Amino acid sequence: MECTSYLVDTFDQLPPINEESLADIDNDLFSGLYYGGVDTPTTRQLSQRVADLEKGKFAVLTPSGQSAFNLLLTTFVKPGDHVLAGDTIVYSTRWLLNHFENIGVKIEYFTPSEAATLKNKLTLKTKLIIFENPGAFTYEVMDISAIVESRHDHPALIVADNTWAASLFHHPLSLGADISLISMSKYHGAVEGISLGALITKRKDLYVNLKTTSALTGNHVSSHACSAAIRSISTLGARLSFQMSTTRKVLRSLKPLPLLKQAIHPILQNTELHLQNSMIYGFNSLFTAEFSCSRNELISRLNRLNLIKIGYGWGGTTSLVNLIDTHDMPSAKRLGINSECARIYLGLEDPDELTRDLTNAFTQ
């Protein structure tokens, strides 16, 4: 199933393990049937499905979203190079960028308001422009079109983390990004309990570079996980449609909630027209809640939840809550967030029951 072994009946059916065996009759690298460490029919099916969802042509699968970022940086960046990164990226990406900074890569951060003037930060050594859209935890929206225009004819690659949009209601590649990155461990595959990531592009040269590095570094993904992801993606649209409805209902019901200072979600911080102008035509069910109580009281209140479980992760069937520390987040400072916060993911439970669970935790 995993193709760690490749079996044939006779030796004349056994292809050689070399670069020629990776190519089809048109000499297209990685198109030939090969050993599982590079591809299997199952991984290829998922790759094409993900590429189609992202409106790209090629996809390279990875074991996780973090490994997708690592593959990206390993492929295109070396010591002495320069990387521009949006300062709203999630902490795990910042952690990885810190690692590359320690080995000689210069990392420079920019704010969403600087998107239109990024040309002032570009240097001859700038290789990548990386950002999440919207940003992590505070959901500031990045203007991709402004970044593309500001880059103009500079060779730096624009890379958008599109995990939040789950490949369905935002398409960075259609707006001029060179690579779209997703963690498929969230909406794409969390209902199946799998870990996967992907890098998607329209450009064959970028695909070949990424796929070559992936093969050389043993970036193998499980066919079992890929098969599960294919099943999960078949319900992606239906799940997100239900969760968008749930999110609207729950956010409306939270307005009178005692101790709640504000809920932070793109549909609350932006008008629908602004989101559409940013080519964002939907939203997910993840939001941040800022409270006016102490951390100890917030923990005590959250411990009263029954339907919503305490834990990490998002994108699956179960609603989840966890505490987040926003004190060192540049975006939190910009938005005036200075109290205790929790991140809440709304799963596939009944929205009225989710509302009651939150209300009971904060009113009794």
Side-chain angles (χ1 to χ4, degrees), residues 32 36 40 61 177 197 209 215 220 233 263 269 279 288 298 315 330 335 342 364:
T40 69
L61 302 177
N209 286 337
H220 176 52
I233 287 173
Q269 274 66 46
M279 303 300 175
T288 296
L298 179 56
L335 298 177
Q364 295 180 359

Side-chain angles (χ1 to χ4, degrees), residues 258-259 291 293-306 310 357-364:
L259 303 179
F291 295 90
C293 58
S294 68
R295 186 178 183 87
N296 286 340
E297 182 174 358
L298 179 56
I299 291 173
S300 176
R301 296 278 183 176
L302 295 177
N303 280 338
R304 300 178 186 179
L305 293 168
N306 291 311
I310 297 170
D357 200 31
L358 286 164
T359 301
N360 291 338
F362 284 90
T363 57
Q364 295 180 359

Side-chain angles (χ1 to χ4, degrees), residues 245-289:
S245 175
T246 295
T247 302
R248 286 192 188 276
K249 292 179 181 179
V250 172
L251 289 177
R252 280 198 300 265
S253 72
L254 290 182
K255 290 182 179 179
L257 195 68
L259 303 179
L260 179 69
K261 288 181 67 175
Q262 65 171 324
I264 304 161
H265 186 280
I267 64 170
L268 298 178
Q269 274 66 46
N270 303 271
T271 65
E272 188 171 341
L273 179 61
H274 179 255
L275 291 176
Q276 289 179 359
N277 288 339
S278 300
M279 303 300 175
I280 297 174
Y281 296 102
F283 52 89
N284 72 22
S285 58
L286 195 67
F287 69 96
T288 296

Side-chain angles (χ1 to χ4, degrees), residues 48-308:
Q48 190 58 57
R49 185 77 178 96
V50 170
D52 291 342
L53 283 173
E54 288 284 335
K55 300 191 182 300
K57 293 183 178 179
F58 311 98
V60 178
L61 302 177
T62 64
S64 67
Q66 187 78 341
S67 61
F69 263 115
N70 185 57
L71 176 61
L72 172 80
L73 293 165
T74 301
T75 301
F76 296 113
V77 174
K78 64 182 183 303
D81 286 339
H82 177 232
V83 172
L84 286 170
D87 72 352
T88 58
I89 57 173
V90 73
Y91 61 88
S92 55
T93 304
R94 190 179 289 266
W95 184 25
L96 181 61
L97 290 175
N98 289 343
H99 166 72
F100 275 83
E101 192 168 35
N102 289 336
I103 60 176
V105 177
K106 183 179 179 181
I107 309 296
E108 184 177 0
Y109 292 93
F110 65 92
T111 68
S113 64
E114 294 176 308
T117 58
L118 273 189
K119 62 183 179 182
N120 299 328
K121 295 179 179 289
L122 293 170
T123 73
L124 293 175
K125 291 188 175 292
T126 306
K127 303 298 183 184
L128 298 173
I129 302 171
I130 300 172
F131 54 89
E132 290 187 36
N133 199 30
F137 302 112
T138 56
Y139 313 109
E140 287 185 270
V141 175
M142 196 73 73
D143 189 341
I144 297 182
S145 297
I147 293 175
V148 172
E149 184 176 348
S150 185
R151 177 194 61 174
H152 191 46
D153 57 357
H154 190 285
L157 301 175
I158 296 175
V159 182
D161 185 332
N162 200 35
T163 301
W164 181 90
S167 304
L168 290 190
F169 39 78
H170 185 56
H171 297 104
L173 297 179
S174 297
L175 300 175
D178 299 290
I179 297 172
S180 183
L181 182 150
I182 53 174
S183 170
M184 297 178 65
S185 310
K186 307 302 188 296
Y187 283 100
H188 295 82
V191 294
E192 290 279 353
I194 58 172
S195 176
L196 285 171
L199 293 156
I200 306 97
T201 184
K202 291 182 176 181
R203 290 174 48 180
K204 187 174 180 179
D205 61 326
L206 300 183
Y207 164 73
V208 169
N209 286 337
L210 287 166
K211 191 67 174 177
T212 299
T213 304
S214 176
L216 289 172
T217 56
N219 187 62
H220 176 52
V221 295
S222 162
S223 289
H224 287 294
C226 291
S227 179
I230 292 168
R231 292 194 301 271
S232 177
I233 287 173
S234 70
T235 64
L236 182 58
R239 286 185 281 114
L240 277 169
S241 178
F242 176 82
Q243 287 172 284
M244 279 193 277
S245 175
T246 295
T247 302
R248 286 192 188 276
K249 292 179 181 179
V250 172
L251 289 177
R252 280 198 300 265
S253 72
L254 290 182
K255 290 182 179 179
L257 195 68
L259 303 179
L260 179 69
K261 288 181 67 175
Q262 65 171 324
I264 304 161
H265 186 280
I267 64 170
L268 298 178
Q269 274 66 46
N270 303 271
T271 65
E272 188 171 341
L273 179 61
H274 179 255
L275 291 176
Q276 289 179 359
N277 288 339
S278 300
M279 303 300 175
I280 297 174
Y281 296 102
F283 52 89
N284 72 22
S285 58
L286 195 67
F287 69 96
T288 296
E290 183 184 15
F291 295 90
S292 59
C293 58
S294 68
R295 186 178 183 87
N296 286 340
E297 182 174 358
L298 179 56
I299 291 173
S300 176
R301 296 278 183 176
L302 295 177
N303 280 338
R304 300 178 186 179
L305 293 168
N306 291 311
L307 186 61
I308 301 172

